[in-house]
Amino acid sequence: MVVDSNLPVAIIGGGPVGLAAAAQLISRGLPVKVYEAGSAVGSNLLDWGHVRVFTPWRYCVDAVARKLLESHGWHMPEPETFPTAEEIVEQYLAPLARLSELAPSIETSARVVAVSRWGADKVPSKGREQKPFMLVVETADGQRRDMARAVIDASGTWQTPNPLGAGGVAAEGEIELGGRIAYGIPDVLGRDRHLYAGHTTLVAGSGHSTANALLELARLAETEPGTSALWVTRGTDLVRIYGGGDADALPARGELGSDTRDLVESGRVRLVTGFATVAIREVDGRLMVEGQTKDGLRTLGPVDRIIAATGQRPDLALTRELRLDLDPWLESVKALGPLIDPNEHSCGDVPPHGHRELSHPEQDFYTVGIKSYGRAPTFLLLTGYEQVRSVAAAIAGDMAAADAVQLVLPETGVCVVPVSVSNTSSQGCCGRPASAVVDACCVADAEAKAGGKPGCGCGVAA
Ligand SMILES: Cc1cc2nc3c(=O)[nH]c(=O)nc-3n(C[C@H](O)[C@H](O)[C@H](O)COP(=O)(O)OP(=O)(O)OC[C@H]3O[C@@H](n4cnc5c(N)ncnc54)[C@H](O)[C@@H]3O)c2cc1C
């Protein structure tokens, strides 16, 4: 660290991982400044506040944040129960942000719109590391420029959803008809009920958000006649969403998948796979959705509304003037890309990783939290808390602690790789994560390679 060490470490985002980073740094005695775009911490979580998460409380709270909270008399909620996202904010993040140690360092309604080096765009190399970072911050009072010695980007991906258009750009008609499309997870049984009751909704996607939306629509249909759901997926392999069932170490996650499977098998939801949405058209006041399939163009509908649970992508505009190293298609940090690529890994395990994998050619800049996974969908809070423990230690110069990364994630019970991958790649995915320094996706894979075999040879999906 060569920049003035009296400058704070800037943390972009007051979500669970950003606040954990703040707790970690403050516990090490470093000055911190947290910028939160929303009017309260945990703003993104509040947007899907009605959703119950599938990890129990004990996986939702950072260890150092917990210690700080408990020193002020806070009691950990029952560790084996499952909070909603709103409860995570109300019972954990908001009390954490109110602590005398953290509160003075957190600014809400403060959106970082750009990060650069003071007086240098991304081109000049000479003396680059000696220049502090400059953050352009938008607040109700206007725009200002703040300086920082290091930057931790924990701004998440929730606010930049993927479009419905399967090509990654808005489908024809998607923008014009946007008033009838919800991105993410609308509160179908609560505040948005009137929009879905008695109507037909097309749900697009194949992740946990899709499962939540479908299950809520099915519940709504039990009391609101005329409510129905049509589910479309771009791919044809549903293993990730159906999950590992009873074999999932997180039973609530396994249940989410098997309940979704039941909806389809019982005929309560109609499923169309291999449907790549290309256009939405209004016909007689309702919506017709056109998609590319293996048999050519196909039109589905009419439907009244659409839920695009098509995932999120990182906002890269923020860091345009920094030297970042990103995976070419996931837009995750480069080192994580091959380990979390959904083309190759269905189980979502990731090897332990820390400051080395989360850093960039831009010295003292780190991407953490769900943003570090870019477009990959398998991030867990546990991963983020270990990430920021390592990064905080590195910024503090405690390299022994920074390099001692430990992460054991609950297994998904999903143990398959596509045929194409298992035949061509040495990376499979069938067990606990291997160390990040080994070219292996899991312990079994690492052991097999150490024994001279090509890989672990885990299950193969047809
Ligand atoms: C529906 C759903 C269910 C999930 N369930 C689980 C689960 O059961 N268990 C689990 O471990 N994980 C789960 N996750 C994954 C993950 O843990 C969450 O997405 C979590 O919120 C990620 O935390 P984060 O701090 O990285 O990002 P976020 O929670 O998204 O926080 C980012 C923060 O940054 C702020 N921000 C954004 N841009 C800016 C900016 N430019 N300037 C300033 N502030 C900014 C936002 O307002 C937000 O408060 C789930 C995710 C989703 C979407």
Side-chain angles (χ1 to χ4, degrees), residues 54-380:
F54 49 75
T55 45
W57 267 112
R58 72 187 163 98
Y59 289 143
C60 296
V61 174
D62 171 67
V64 168
R66 177 178 178 173
K67 223 166 143 189
L68 264 178
L69 277 160
E70 286 178 340
S71 72
H72 286 264
W74 180 82
H75 294 289
M76 173 81 176
E78 171 48 52
E80 296 307 326
T81 58
F82 298 85
T84 61
E86 188 177 7
E87 286 165 351
I88 294 179
V89 178
E90 284 175 356
Q91 295 176 37
Y92 165 50
L93 296 182
L96 178 64
R98 282 196 296 268
L99 292 183
S100 53
E101 290 91 338
L102 268 80
S105 309
I106 300 173
E107 184 178 357
T108 53
S109 302
R111 177 177 291 278
V112 177
V113 292
V115 188
S116 178
R117 287 278 182 181
W118 200 268
D121 64 18
K122 73 200 302 182
V123 179
S125 299
K126 195 167 172 217
R128 190 167 185 85
E129 283 79 27
Q130 280 86 52
K131 297 181 195 302
F133 286 96
M134 178 190 72
L135 292 96
V136 182
V137 187
E138 265 176 16
T139 71
D141 299 328
Q143 211 181 69
R144 62 166 206 268
R145 280 149 168 75
D146 286 0
M147 281 201 276
R149 66 185 278 198
V151 178
I152 298 178
D153 184 357
S155 60
T157 55
W158 185 251
Q159 292 168 27
T160 37
N162 289 323
L164 188 62
V169 291
E172 211 183 312
E174 182 172 349
I175 291 166
E176 295 81 345
L177 296 166
R180 279 180 268 174
I181 304 171
Y183 296 86
I185 318 179
D187 190 359
V188 167
L189 296 169
R191 65 171 186 248
D192 303 317
R193 186 184 183 100
H194 63 288
L195 297 173
Y196 299 95
H199 295 303
T200 299
T201 302
L202 180 141
V203 181
S206 57
H208 293 126
S209 300
T210 315
N212 274 300
L214 289 168
L215 290 164
E216 294 210 336
L217 285 167
R219 274 187 62 200
L220 187 65
E222 288 168 9
T223 53
E224 299 281 0
T227 305
S228 64
L230 167 63
W231 175 22
V232 299
T233 63
R234 185 172 54 183
T236 52
D237 182 359
L238 299 177
V239 70
R240 198 171 299 115
I241 188 164
Y242 285 166
D246 291 346
D248 195 318
L250 293 171
R253 181 173 59 188
E255 225 170 82
L256 196 61
S258 39
D259 287 353
T260 310
R261 182 197 289 264
D262 286 349
L263 283 184
V264 174
E265 289 178 354
S266 65
R268 291 162 74 200
V269 162
R270 198 178 132 220
L271 168 66
V272 179
T273 61
F275 185 91
T277 305
V278 293
I280 308 156
R281 307 189 199 287
E282 187 172 24
V283 178
D284 298 332
R286 301 185 78 196
L287 303 175
M288 302 298 290
V289 181
E290 201 171 280
Q292 191 67 46
T293 71
K294 67 175 175 29
D295 302 319
L297 272 185
R298 181 175 171 190
T299 302
L300 299 174
V303 301
D304 304 293
R305 296 196 67 82
I306 296 172
I307 297 177
T310 40
Q312 290 80 31
R313 55 180 60 169
D315 174 8
L316 301 180
L318 192 66
T319 48
R320 170 99 198 245
E321 293 310 324
L322 297 181
R323 298 178 172 188
L324 299 197
D325 207 4
L326 300 174
D327 181 83
W329 54 93
L330 293 182
E331 297 171 341
S332 65
V333 292
K334 182 80 166 268
L336 288 185
L339 310 172
I340 57 175
D341 186 349
N343 292 301
E344 303 202 13
H345 302 270
S346 57
C347 69
D349 274 345
V350 64
H353 60 274
H355 71 107
R356 294 193 191 277
E357 291 81 5
L358 302 164
S359 62
H360 293 278
E362 193 70 64
Q363 191 177 306
D364 300 323
F365 183 89
Y366 301 89
T367 312
V368 301
I370 198 163
K371 190 167 187 176
S372 68
Y373 273 39
R375 298 181 184 215
T378 44
F379 178 82
L380 288 178

Side-chain angles (χ1 to χ4, degrees), residues 6-20:
N6 293 316
L7 285 174
V9 176
I11 300 172
I12 309 175
V17 179
L19 290 184

